[in-house]
Amino acid sequence: VQLQASGGGLVQAGGSLRLSCAASGSIFSRSTMGWYRQAPGKQRELVAAFTNRGTTNYADSVKGRFTISRDNAKNTVYLQMNTLTPEDTAVYYCNARKILTDLRPYDYWGQGTEVTVSS
């Protein structure tokens, strides 16, 4: 398994969860890492990601509540989610984007971890 996500679960509105994504070393060191989510009946959307410059991007809906971080020694990226709302209910996917030699992007995806926020 190249990307292993964990940490999802059921939480009440206002609560917190931390997702983790462990990557193989070859992927982690050569890719930009991020988190996406897909709610029922909706398209997959970016939640948070590192850029190739090391900065971070967040969806407007999670700014100020979610924080993406990484531990390079553990080849792991995290998503700290605070002040969760029912609208955050989704399957969360870890993503690693690698740029190939012909400059095309290639995406690796984790298996998804489900987050359910009850009202």
Side-chain angles (χ1 to χ4, degrees):
V1 177
Q2 294 175 315
L3 294 176
Q4 183 70 46
S6 61
L10 174 64
V11 63
Q12 289 187 334
S16 299
L17 282 174
R18 188 177 81 155
L19 306 183
S20 300
C21 176
S24 66
S26 62
I27 289 176
F28 192 83
S29 63
R30 299 179 182 182
S31 305
T32 53
M33 304 294 296
W35 290 94
Y36 287 70
R37 68 185 180 187
Q38 188 166 16
K42 295 186 177 181
Q43 290 189 333
R44 192 172 297 188
E45 63 176 359
L46 174 69
V47 177
F50 288 99
T51 70
N52 56 11
R53 298 181 302 279
T55 58
T56 53
N57 285 331
Y58 293 92
D60 288 342
S61 59
V62 307
K63 283 180 181 176
R65 301 187 299 121
F66 290 12
T67 303
I68 188 170
S69 62
R70 61 192 294 159
D71 185 333
N72 292 335
K74 295 181 178 180
N75 294 338
T76 299
V77 64
Y78 303 98
L79 184 67
Q80 178 66 45
M81 306 186 294
N82 298 328
T83 320
L84 286 160
T85 74
E87 289 69 36
D88 295 316
T89 294
V91 177
Y92 285 70
Y93 296 91
C94 179
N95 169 267
R97 174 161 290 181
K98 180 179 178 179
I99 303 301
L100 302 177
T101 53
D102 60 4
L103 302 183
R104 289 181 298 119
Y106 184 87
D107 287 316
Y108 298 89
W109 294 98
Q111 83 283 11
T113 184
E114 189 166 0
V115 172
T116 302
V117 185
S118 63
S119 57

